[in-house]
Amino acid sequence: MNILLLNPNTSVSITDRLTHVAQAIAAPGTRIAGLTAPRGVPYISGRAESQIAGAVLLEMMADYPEPYDAAIVAAFGDPGLAAARELFDVPVIGMAEAAMLTACMLGERFAIVTFAASLGDWYRDCVAASGLLPRLAGIRFSAEPFSSIERVASEREDALVELCVAAVEQDGADVILLGGAPLAGLAARIASRVPVPLVEQVHAALLQAETLVRLGVRKATAGSFARPAAKPTLGLSPRLAVRIEHQDV
Amino acid sequence: MNILLLNPNTSVSITDRLTHVAQAIAAPGTRIAGLTAPRGVPYISGRAESQIAGAVLLEMMADYPEPYDAAIVAAFGDPGLAAARELFDVPVIGMAEAAMLTACMLGERFAIVTFAASLGDWYRDCVAASGLLPRLAGIRFSAEPFSSIERVASEREDALVELCVAAVEQDGADVILLGGAPLAGLAARIASRVPVPLVEQVHAALLQAETLVRLGVRKATAGSFARPAAKPTLGLSPRLAVRIEHQDV
Amino acid sequence: MNILLLNPNTSVSITDRLTHVAQAIAAPGTRIAGLTAPRGVPYISGRAESQIAGAVLLEMMADYPEPYDAAIVAAFGDPGLAAARELFDVPVIGMAEAAMLTACMLGERFAIVTFAASLGDWYRDCVAASGLLPRLAGIRFSAEPFSSIERVASEREDALVELCVAAVEQDGADVILLGGAPLAGLAARIASRVPVPLVEQVHAALLQAETLVRLGVRKATAGSFARPAAKPTLGLSPRLAVRIEHQDV
Amino acid sequence: MNILLLNPNTSVSITDRLTHVAQAIAAPGTRIAGLTAPRGVPYISGRAESQIAGAVLLEMMADYPEPYDAAIVAAFGDPGLAAARELFDVPVIGMAEAAMLTACMLGERFAIVTFAASLGDWYRDCVAASGLLPRLAGIRFSAEPFSSIERVASEREDALVELCVAAVEQDGADVILLGGAPLAGLAARIASRVPVPLVEQVHAALLQAETLVRLGVRKATAGSFARPAAKPTLGLSPRLAVRIEHQDV
Amino acid sequence: MNILLLNPNTSVSITDRLTHVAQAIAAPGTRIAGLTAPRGVPYISGRAESQIAGAVLLEMMADYPEPYDAAIVAAFGDPGLAAARELFDVPVIGMAEAAMLTACMLGERFAIVTFAASLGDWYRDCVAASGLLPRLAGIRFSAEPFSSIERVASEREDALVELCVAAVEQDGADVILLGGAPLAGLAARIASRVPVPLVEQVHAALLQAETLVRLGVRKATAGSFARPAAKPTLGLSPRLAVRIEHQDV
Amino acid sequence: MNILLLNPNTSVSITDRLTHVAQAIAAPGTRIAGLTAPRGVPYISGRAESQIAGAVLLEMMADYPEPYDAAIVAAFGDPGLAAARELFDVPVIGMAEAAMLTACMLGERFAIVTFAASLGDWYRDCVAASGLLPRLAGIRFSAEPFSSIERVASEREDALVELCVAAVEQDGADVILLGGAPLAGLAARIASRVPVPLVEQVHAALLQAETLVRLGVRKATAGSFARPAAKPTLGLSPRLAVRIEHQDV
């Protein structure tokens, strides 16, 4: 199957890392196409940037020239997830949503550990939107600075392990998610130092994408995730306009 | 004071109606500038269109050349509301949020009455996002067709009154909101036929905008609605880039 | 318009302060009549005192000899609010409710800061009654003594600022309400020392009262806030009896 | 033990019926003193009447000249319950609360069946205040008229049975409460016609009062149900003033 | 009346203590038969042990040769409670559920204090299952070791008192439950050292059992607690098979 | 990988069907061992049967002589799921939980459609236990009889399709789960007649089992899903006793 891994921020190095981590766990027949947002910011950390990135994500999906079987929103706060799920015909997976739902099969309450306060605030909105706040043990973040988002995972590794342990001992977490694309791949490195299951966000997203494709579910033609009725558009990117105007039918 | 009324869809006639209804209740010193989205769809009715419209709304706020004291997101589902509130320094009011919070001061449970099923689904998300689902008596909509969004309020007036009455008698609504920009101004016309208070969405938004300006509250410099830290951007509209990159400081 | 500001406790000095703070923000045509409870306690701090004060408040509204357009329950826990809203024809605003709903337009989660533990407990009931607990970041109070309720705002000012800052930094508050009539007017004095918006409770109440009057909503004749059917009464204050017995119709 | 059964409305015939039904199930050593409100309305059916009745209830408890071991608020919406529980030293039982909590030991979800729409609205507030909305299957009421509250139970008996059956079959109720003092004693008469357990509100209240007395729990001296600190009062009934001013210590 | 006190763990000494504490508060005509689980573990402290113990409890109820009027599940996490309530005709009381519901009549929020971390986790599930999480102030436990479950109450008495006080002062508890069968009888010993009401779990269970029997409610024949339809069984204990197969009808 | 498919009821034909449906979607290297409960009832439809079946399930897992990588609780109400997840080292998947969490990635609200009222009641408990009630659009069931559980899927196929359509049109479902082991395999047959995605429960369970195994997460050694401390046991099945007593360490 062909899976689109959509990095809604503009950092190609992050896209490369996400694709690499995803490929490592993919089934033999799964091909992953990693795409980087053509517009936006190098890393997304709040509501405004997420609003913009979510709209760009729709363009990225509309613009992709080849057929694909599923798409992954590869930023932990899942910008544009519900919009993409409504507008397009293939399953769309959010990296945060996939990690949270997977965590729910490993324990009663999960914690999210990340590397910046602003991410913690945004991620909390994301948990709330999914209705999973009752399953959230807490969100912990490292407040100290780092030299670059490419290096934050290695530079702050010990601090992140300490936050994981605190989430278990003080917040009652049964499972932990490391949130934020720059932490992709970290779970495997620190799993032995954390006493509860760690869900690798990229792995969860890729595996859930494969799951939905293998399930073979159809696109809704009724209900709130049916494709919206055709509408005229003004000034949108050409392929996105085609999709909204139903010129592809 | 100067208030920006931002219509995040592309229908100038709707902007004109919204501005007209708002001006009718504004205080003597309030000047309302009605703006129409330069890109998007003529009316927004779902998650995908809202995702796009919310991003355009940020551009509209960034691009406006004159100073203003508050901004109104003048579409009932409030696209881009939290994003705008985070990114900009002035108070930002959502038409749906303002109507719902105002309704909470008039009774225990409110209902939303609108003119299309797809709107009902989207509005429910909007109520959920505000945490006000426990105060929602129900959402009712007219499923029958209409000739144009400009005329839906007059063509479907009797059906909408019947839905209001049903919301009171069958759903236990204490207050009713007529949702959707095309219904702007309808509340006054049908108020005498509905046995509970009707909150006019445009009036609620304008009055709450005046309220927040008169309160004189400051922009947060901490917490999750502080302005995000400066970041480089790529390919965004020039004035929005200036705002995100803090070149305006 | 004419607005009744009802202080449900017996402290005339508090009524004067509340009226003074309200007048400062009122629109040119707004006349505020400040009334002090003829019976009760000098300040209300719990469920029992609130039960009594709420009943006295109904008498105060019934007894007032002039017409008025709206009434404000000017104690932060809103004693008698729902009862008054049901029984009388004009909009009734609660100082706590108005402050909370206004705060919801300025951020995701609000904190309440007050000056006594017993108030914190009572205010929590009040937030719960409004259904807004999911929006509450926390309630913090100063546990140290003060010489009088008239002076508590000035004597404990520094401590209250510290509580506000702690609510932001430790509880994740985006907005703060200073709760309790003796803190009326304090928000303006300390706003520059608190890094998030501070909602002045009296201003919020007055502005929301003006909002509801300007909206021009009707009294419900159906639903749970319709005026109760006429009933005989025994031993109630004469004007309240008139209202309950529908002798004023 | 001595139990005060406080009817917060002014109908002596209702007090007599409540006392009679309670006495029928009381333990040998339990003496019940039935008191009728000296002020108020003949039956309470909403927020305003409940606000007044709750304040009168505090006076009734303060005024009672003999010692007693517990008090029952004998109106289904429990006017003044939390206030009385806070102010006085003995356990205070609400008839609605006792019936709901007892029902929770007999099934997962309970329904309330009553005889007037206005009661249904008020009772819903009461369920919400207890935090038990997730356990509520629904509230059903008979909308047809009746000649007097003394006779409503017999006149509407068949209709009430039908509502009970509908609550089971359509709302998923596992247990049913007949709510409203005029329905006291009805449960026993119709139990054989309803296919799930019926909780008699008066029996539940009396038995829970005995339970709390036999438990021998102390009055809180800390927490939100500790007796409020002494305060001066103005114009209150003499014995209530004594209690609030701590002149009884 | 005859009440079965079912200890679902295998410790006869615990059964004896529970029966002794229950008997001390029982009404004159109440006979308590204390039964110890014939299979299982000496004390239950988690989900797996509770799953097993709940199934054994059903066998104990089915096997008991004499008629009885009610049964108590005498382990604080209430293993098998809903199952027993569904399968058998008599009222079934859970020790934790009875204590929690009783506590709800004594204050707004209760805390649970216990003697081991693993119990705290299990008890939280139990509160959640009852829908009472909004009434839970917190769960506190002593993490230090003890020589045996028989002696834990006396050995850790001072530490448990400190936890109770902390639950009041730091968590806002209005009432406290001492959870866990090995703490049976402790409440009376430490009540004077804790500033809020302490609910003795065994007393609450016994008194609520008497309450349900005296109420005289019928077994549901509809709804989700009606006896399940007859089914063939394989390999179950003989009397339990009889019950499930309806051979007792 | 080796996956244990545990049918906690005694119907071998159902086990065969479940295994067959699971095998059809399994990855090339996945071996499925289908086991039938040695004790219990032929189909589980309520709390009591689930309590018993969940305990038997623990024995089945303990008794299985070969190593395995994950286990599936193959009854829609997930009897014993949390217990098994706590006691054993491998991931344990519940068929209902897996289907619900998978559905959450396909829409906002899911409905459950099943073939008997008693299942609907039990399944609702199951949704509640997972914290997903806010995502539940409703549960619909066919109340009419059928000749055998083996044939219910084919005999009631048209009725089940109608229930699915009603769940979409009247309850607002975005996704539908067909619940109950006897409906295994039905989703593929009726998918074209239902306008929203249908999640096949067995496929969801198998795919999620593969997902958790491929994720490679560790067993918790802390938190509430750590293996319980060793304890003596009495009268349990030998291999289960070994597991609880830690004789396998």
PDB file of all heavy atoms in Angstrom, chain D residues 164-165 168-169 174 176 191-197, chain E residues 218-223 226:
ATOM      1  N   CYS D 164     -44.171   5.177  34.132  1.00  0.00           N
ATOM      2  CA  CYS D 164     -43.134   4.293  34.689  1.00  0.00           C
ATOM      3  C   CYS D 164     -42.746   3.226  33.666  1.00  0.00           C
ATOM      4  O   CYS D 164     -41.560   2.962  33.428  1.00  0.00           O
ATOM      5  CB  CYS D 164     -43.628   3.606  35.963  1.00  0.00           C
ATOM      6  SG  CYS D 164     -43.833   4.719  37.368  1.00  0.00           S
ATOM      7  N   VAL D 165     -43.742   2.628  33.057  1.00  0.00           N
ATOM      8  CA  VAL D 165     -43.464   1.573  32.086  1.00  0.00           C
ATOM      9  C   VAL D 165     -42.707   2.142  30.882  1.00  0.00           C
ATOM     10  O   VAL D 165     -41.743   1.542  30.390  1.00  0.00           O
ATOM     11  CB  VAL D 165     -44.784   0.888  31.656  1.00  0.00           C
ATOM     12  CG1 VAL D 165     -44.536  -0.078  30.499  1.00  0.00           C
ATOM     13  CG2 VAL D 165     -45.404   0.168  32.849  1.00  0.00           C
ATOM     14  N   VAL D 168     -39.056   2.579  31.598  1.00  0.00           N
ATOM     15  CA  VAL D 168     -38.298   1.329  31.516  1.00  0.00           C
ATOM     16  C   VAL D 168     -38.072   0.947  30.058  1.00  0.00           C
ATOM     17  O   VAL D 168     -36.945   0.680  29.629  1.00  0.00           O
ATOM     18  CB  VAL D 168     -39.045   0.189  32.252  1.00  0.00           C
ATOM     19  CG1 VAL D 168     -38.325  -1.139  32.047  1.00  0.00           C
ATOM     20  CG2 VAL D 168     -39.172   0.517  33.728  1.00  0.00           C
ATOM     21  N   GLU D 169     -39.153   0.956  29.301  1.00  0.00           N
ATOM     22  CA  GLU D 169     -39.071   0.411  27.937  1.00  0.00           C
ATOM     23  C   GLU D 169     -38.378   1.359  26.962  1.00  0.00           C
ATOM     24  O   GLU D 169     -37.694   0.910  26.050  1.00  0.00           O
ATOM     25  CB  GLU D 169     -40.480   0.076  27.437  1.00  0.00           C
ATOM     26  CG  GLU D 169     -41.105  -1.060  28.247  1.00  0.00           C
ATOM     27  CD  GLU D 169     -42.491  -1.447  27.750  1.00  0.00           C
ATOM     28  OE1 GLU D 169     -43.032  -0.721  26.901  1.00  0.00           O
ATOM     29  OE2 GLU D 169     -43.034  -2.451  28.244  1.00  0.00           O
ATOM     30  N   ASP D 174     -33.569   1.335  35.081  1.00  0.00           N
ATOM     31  CA  ASP D 174     -33.495   0.120  35.906  1.00  0.00           C
ATOM     32  C   ASP D 174     -34.279   0.272  37.198  1.00  0.00           C
ATOM     33  O   ASP D 174     -34.585  -0.721  37.864  1.00  0.00           O
ATOM     34  CB  ASP D 174     -32.035  -0.166  36.290  1.00  0.00           C
ATOM     35  CG  ASP D 174     -31.163  -0.469  35.096  1.00  0.00           C
ATOM     36  OD1 ASP D 174     -31.605  -1.235  34.226  1.00  0.00           O
ATOM     37  OD2 ASP D 174     -30.043   0.061  35.031  1.00  0.00           O
ATOM     38  N   ILE D 176     -37.071   3.226  39.419  1.00  0.00           N
ATOM     39  CA  ILE D 176     -37.887   4.429  39.247  1.00  0.00           C
ATOM     40  C   ILE D 176     -38.171   5.094  40.585  1.00  0.00           C
ATOM     41  O   ILE D 176     -38.449   4.433  41.588  1.00  0.00           O
ATOM     42  CB  ILE D 176     -39.207   4.097  38.515  1.00  0.00           C
ATOM     43  CG1 ILE D 176     -38.876   3.734  37.068  1.00  0.00           C
ATOM     44  CG2 ILE D 176     -40.182   5.282  38.544  1.00  0.00           C
ATOM     45  CD1 ILE D 176     -40.057   3.356  36.224  1.00  0.00           C
ATOM     46  N   ALA D 191     -46.564  -0.768  42.817  1.00  0.00           N
ATOM     47  CA  ALA D 191     -45.323  -1.529  42.596  1.00  0.00           C
ATOM     48  C   ALA D 191     -45.552  -2.766  41.736  1.00  0.00           C
ATOM     49  O   ALA D 191     -44.704  -3.131  40.909  1.00  0.00           O
ATOM     50  CB  ALA D 191     -44.704  -1.924  43.935  1.00  0.00           C
ATOM     51  N   SER D 192     -46.686  -3.411  41.904  1.00  0.00           N
ATOM     52  CA  SER D 192     -46.894  -4.660  41.165  1.00  0.00           C
ATOM     53  C   SER D 192     -47.140  -4.412  39.684  1.00  0.00           C
ATOM     54  O   SER D 192     -47.051  -5.336  38.879  1.00  0.00           O
ATOM     55  CB  SER D 192     -48.083  -5.410  41.759  1.00  0.00           C
ATOM     56  OG  SER D 192     -49.265  -4.635  41.578  1.00  0.00           O
ATOM     57  N   ARG D 193     -47.409  -3.171  39.321  1.00  0.00           N
ATOM     58  CA  ARG D 193     -47.679  -2.880  37.907  1.00  0.00           C
ATOM     59  C   ARG D 193     -46.459  -2.318  37.175  1.00  0.00           C
ATOM     60  O   ARG D 193     -46.541  -2.000  35.996  1.00  0.00           O
ATOM     61  CB  ARG D 193     -48.839  -1.876  37.812  1.00  0.00           C
ATOM     62  CG  ARG D 193     -50.139  -2.398  38.427  1.00  0.00           C
ATOM     63  CD  ARG D 193     -51.160  -1.297  38.628  1.00  0.00           C
ATOM     64  NE  ARG D 193     -51.671  -0.782  37.374  1.00  0.00           N
ATOM     65  CZ  ARG D 193     -52.401   0.343  37.281  1.00  0.00           C
ATOM     66  NH1 ARG D 193     -52.712   1.036  38.393  1.00  0.00           N
ATOM     67  NH2 ARG D 193     -52.829   0.763  36.118  1.00  0.00           N
ATOM     68  N   VAL D 194     -45.368  -2.169  37.889  1.00  0.00           N
ATOM     69  CA  VAL D 194     -44.149  -1.596  37.303  1.00  0.00           C
ATOM     70  C   VAL D 194     -43.051  -2.662  37.368  1.00  0.00           C
ATOM     71  O   VAL D 194     -42.793  -3.206  38.442  1.00  0.00           O
ATOM     72  CB  VAL D 194     -43.726  -0.321  38.066  1.00  0.00           C
ATOM     73  CG1 VAL D 194     -42.408   0.219  37.532  1.00  0.00           C
ATOM     74  CG2 VAL D 194     -44.823   0.747  37.977  1.00  0.00           C
ATOM     75  N   PRO D 195     -42.389  -2.959  36.251  1.00  0.00           N
ATOM     76  CA  PRO D 195     -41.495  -4.119  36.220  1.00  0.00           C
ATOM     77  C   PRO D 195     -40.089  -3.898  36.769  1.00  0.00           C
ATOM     78  O   PRO D 195     -39.248  -4.764  36.595  1.00  0.00           O
ATOM     79  CB  PRO D 195     -41.435  -4.445  34.716  1.00  0.00           C
ATOM     80  CG  PRO D 195     -41.631  -3.136  34.033  1.00  0.00           C
ATOM     81  CD  PRO D 195     -42.569  -2.352  34.916  1.00  0.00           C
ATOM     82  N   VAL D 196     -39.847  -2.769  37.401  1.00  0.00           N
ATOM     83  CA  VAL D 196     -38.529  -2.557  38.034  1.00  0.00           C
ATOM     84  C   VAL D 196     -38.768  -2.025  39.447  1.00  0.00           C
ATOM     85  O   VAL D 196     -39.883  -1.607  39.777  1.00  0.00           O
ATOM     86  CB  VAL D 196     -37.660  -1.544  37.243  1.00  0.00           C
ATOM     87  CG1 VAL D 196     -37.364  -2.043  35.827  1.00  0.00           C
ATOM     88  CG2 VAL D 196     -38.293  -0.171  37.216  1.00  0.00           C
ATOM     89  N   PRO D 197     -37.731  -2.025  40.282  1.00  0.00           N
ATOM     90  CA  PRO D 197     -37.912  -1.508  41.646  1.00  0.00           C
ATOM     91  C   PRO D 197     -38.372  -0.052  41.642  1.00  0.00           C
ATOM     92  O   PRO D 197     -37.868   0.768  40.874  1.00  0.00           O
ATOM     93  CB  PRO D 197     -36.512  -1.622  42.262  1.00  0.00           C
ATOM     94  CG  PRO D 197     -35.815  -2.673  41.472  1.00  0.00           C
ATOM     95  CD  PRO D 197     -36.373  -2.589  40.088  1.00  0.00           C
TER      96      PRO D 197
ATOM     97  N   ARG E 218     -38.954  -4.838  44.823  1.00  0.00           N
ATOM     98  CA  ARG E 218     -39.048  -6.071  44.066  1.00  0.00           C
ATOM     99  C   ARG E 218     -37.826  -6.259  43.185  1.00  0.00           C
ATOM    100  O   ARG E 218     -37.127  -5.305  42.860  1.00  0.00           O
ATOM    101  CB  ARG E 218     -40.290  -6.022  43.188  1.00  0.00           C
ATOM    102  CG  ARG E 218     -40.276  -4.805  42.246  1.00  0.00           C
ATOM    103  CD  ARG E 218     -41.383  -4.865  41.247  1.00  0.00           C
ATOM    104  NE  ARG E 218     -41.182  -6.027  40.393  1.00  0.00           N
ATOM    105  CZ  ARG E 218     -42.057  -6.471  39.524  1.00  0.00           C
ATOM    106  NH1 ARG E 218     -43.223  -5.851  39.390  1.00  0.00           N
ATOM    107  NH2 ARG E 218     -41.808  -7.525  38.792  1.00  0.00           N
ATOM    108  N   LYS E 219     -37.590  -7.466  42.739  1.00  0.00           N
ATOM    109  CA  LYS E 219     -36.581  -7.754  41.719  1.00  0.00           C
ATOM    110  C   LYS E 219     -37.119  -7.268  40.377  1.00  0.00           C
ATOM    111  O   LYS E 219     -38.302  -7.492  40.046  1.00  0.00           O
ATOM    112  CB  LYS E 219     -36.335  -9.260  41.672  1.00  0.00           C
ATOM    113  CG  LYS E 219     -35.520  -9.757  40.487  1.00  0.00           C
ATOM    114  CD  LYS E 219     -34.057  -9.330  40.551  1.00  0.00           C
ATOM    115  CE  LYS E 219     -33.254  -9.895  39.376  1.00  0.00           C
ATOM    116  NZ  LYS E 219     -31.855  -9.467  39.427  1.00  0.00           N
ATOM    117  N   ALA E 220     -36.273  -6.633  39.604  1.00  0.00           N
ATOM    118  CA  ALA E 220     -36.679  -6.193  38.266  1.00  0.00           C
ATOM    119  C   ALA E 220     -37.025  -7.386  37.384  1.00  0.00           C
ATOM    120  O   ALA E 220     -36.367  -8.422  37.439  1.00  0.00           O
ATOM    121  CB  ALA E 220     -35.552  -5.402  37.622  1.00  0.00           C
ATOM    122  N   THR E 221     -38.085  -7.240  36.595  1.00  0.00           N
ATOM    123  CA  THR E 221     -38.385  -8.237  35.561  1.00  0.00           C
ATOM    124  C   THR E 221     -38.196  -7.625  34.172  1.00  0.00           C
ATOM    125  O   THR E 221     -38.477  -8.270  33.171  1.00  0.00           O
ATOM    126  CB  THR E 221     -39.816  -8.768  35.692  1.00  0.00           C
ATOM    127  OG1 THR E 221     -40.728  -7.651  35.613  1.00  0.00           O
ATOM    128  CG2 THR E 221     -40.022  -9.477  37.022  1.00  0.00           C
ATOM    129  N   ALA E 222     -37.743  -6.408  34.136  1.00  0.00           N
ATOM    130  CA  ALA E 222     -37.396  -5.755  32.868  1.00  0.00           C
ATOM    131  C   ALA E 222     -36.199  -4.863  33.152  1.00  0.00           C
ATOM    132  O   ALA E 222     -35.781  -4.715  34.302  1.00  0.00           O
ATOM    133  CB  ALA E 222     -38.573  -4.929  32.355  1.00  0.00           C
ATOM    134  N   GLY E 223     -35.648  -4.255  32.129  1.00  0.00           N
ATOM    135  CA  GLY E 223     -34.482  -3.407  32.313  1.00  0.00           C
ATOM    136  C   GLY E 223     -33.226  -4.251  32.432  1.00  0.00           C
ATOM    137  O   GLY E 223     -33.274  -5.484  32.415  1.00  0.00           O
ATOM    138  N   ALA E 226     -32.901  -7.119  35.171  1.00  0.00           N
ATOM    139  CA  ALA E 226     -33.765  -8.296  35.196  1.00  0.00           C
ATOM    140  C   ALA E 226     -32.875  -9.543  35.179  1.00  0.00           C
ATOM    141  O   ALA E 226     -31.750  -9.516  34.678  1.00  0.00           O
ATOM    142  CB  ALA E 226     -34.676  -8.284  33.981  1.00  0.00           C
TER     143      ALA E 226
END
